[in-house]
Amino acid sequence: MPQSFRLLVIPIAVVVACSVAVAAVIVASRAPVLVNVRSATTASGIDSAILVSGDATVSKNPDLALLNAGIESRASTAAAAQSDLATRAAKLIARIKSLGVNDKDLSTSGYWIGPEYGSTGQTITGYRAGEQLQVKWHNVDTVGRTLDAIVQEGGATNISIGFGLANPKAAQAEARALAIADAKAKAQAMASAAGVHVGQVIRVSDVSINTRTPYPYTYGAALAAPDKAVTQVPVGDLDVQVSVEVDYSIA
């Protein structure tokens, strides 16, 4: 029998206790294998299975931009830094909302106030306060102009952006169906080489779902001066990756 086929004969008395260990070994390698195990219900019966994995990637155009806009303030006291930050934040939030962003798409992702120390690390030289806002922007085609407005008119000093899908489950379902089809094709190839036929599905597991996003874009306020052209932000595609494991009986 070829090496890619594995014959496992498990005594009835220990089949239940060893089932978890056997599954762990199979999943660890997960190359397509043909497995024979002794039936737990029949002393002489042999149950056979083909164990395969399937993978698929679906590329989609992002329809959601996630903008993070940060502002900071420094002052000699914590109260003064906080007060100045509140003024800056109010200006930034007002500008973001004027772009048509709904309240549900605007949230605070970070807020901090703390001392700043001198070169020796012993003396407090002042205080720094900061706030980070997250904006869900649903028109990725205009995200460059939105970034410029937030920096140039809203006063944001730190900006980062990523992209996503408003409904990722649809893309995941599409990729999952393709991954299962890939697993079935592998099982049929295995069965044909072994001279048997693929039977019913015994078990199927979705072992990983990964969305590979375009590289996040980051820039500071100094790069968005009013005399510059509109910021260009190429979006690219999102890769939604799904892997499955499927066990088939042998007909």
Side-chain angles (χ1 to χ4, degrees):
M1 178 176 292
Q3 291 183 353
S4 60
F5 296 171
R6 302 180 182 178
L7 178 64
L8 304 179
V9 180
I10 304 175
I12 299 174
V14 296
V15 66
V16 174
C18 294
S19 60
V20 173
V22 172
V25 172
I26 294 171
V27 170
S29 59
R30 214 49 193 179
V33 293
L34 179 68
V35 176
N36 291 333
V37 295
R38 187 175 301 278
S39 172
T41 58
T42 306
S44 60
I46 297 294
D47 293 335
S48 300
I50 301 174
L51 314 182
V52 293
S53 62
D55 305 282
T57 299
V58 173
S59 295
K60 297 291 184 181
N61 293 323
D63 57 5
L64 179 67
L66 298 175
L67 285 67
N68 287 283
I71 46 176
E72 292 186 354
S73 179
R74 288 178 169 84
S76 58
T77 66
Q82 184 183 37
S83 177
D84 183 59
L85 179 67
T87 301
R88 295 173 182 266
K91 176 183 177 181
L92 176 58
I93 291 172
R95 186 65 183 99
I96 291 173
K97 289 186 174 181
S98 72
L99 298 172
V101 176
N102 296 323
D103 287 343
K104 65 182 180 65
D105 290 330
L106 175 61
S107 61
T108 300
S109 58
Y111 188 95
W112 63 93
I113 300 176
E116 291 187 311
Y117 294 89
S119 57
T120 63
Q122 301 295 322
T123 304
I124 295 177
T125 59
Y127 290 83
R128 181 172 68 99
E131 185 170 359
Q132 195 79 14
L133 303 174
Q134 185 176 82
V135 181
K136 293 181 180 180
W137 187 254
H138 296 276
N139 186 356
V140 296
D141 293 335
T142 63
V143 70
R145 293 183 180 276
T146 303
L147 290 174
D148 291 343
I150 290 176
V151 172
Q152 297 172 16
E153 302 163 22
T157 54
N158 292 284
I159 291 284
S160 65
I161 182 172
F163 298 93
L165 297 172
N167 181 20
K169 291 185 178 180
Q172 291 167 0
E174 182 180 347
R176 189 178 298 111
L178 293 174
I180 291 176
D182 179 51
K184 186 174 182 180
K186 292 178 181 177
Q188 290 174 336
M190 283 283 297
S192 177
V196 296
H197 297 285
V198 176
Q200 296 181 340
V201 173
I202 300 172
R203 182 182 67 89
V204 59
S205 299
D206 190 338
V207 295
S208 68
I209 298 177
N210 179 46
T211 302
R212 187 169 56 206
T213 63
Y215 190 77
Y217 179 82
T218 304
Y219 76 106
L223 299 181
D227 59 342
K228 298 294 183 180
V230 173
T231 299
Q232 300 298 309
V233 186
V235 177
D237 285 340
L238 289 171
D239 290 339
V240 180
Q241 300 172 327
V242 172
S243 296
V244 298
E245 292 176 349
V246 188
D247 299 350
Y248 293 92
S249 65
I250 295 179

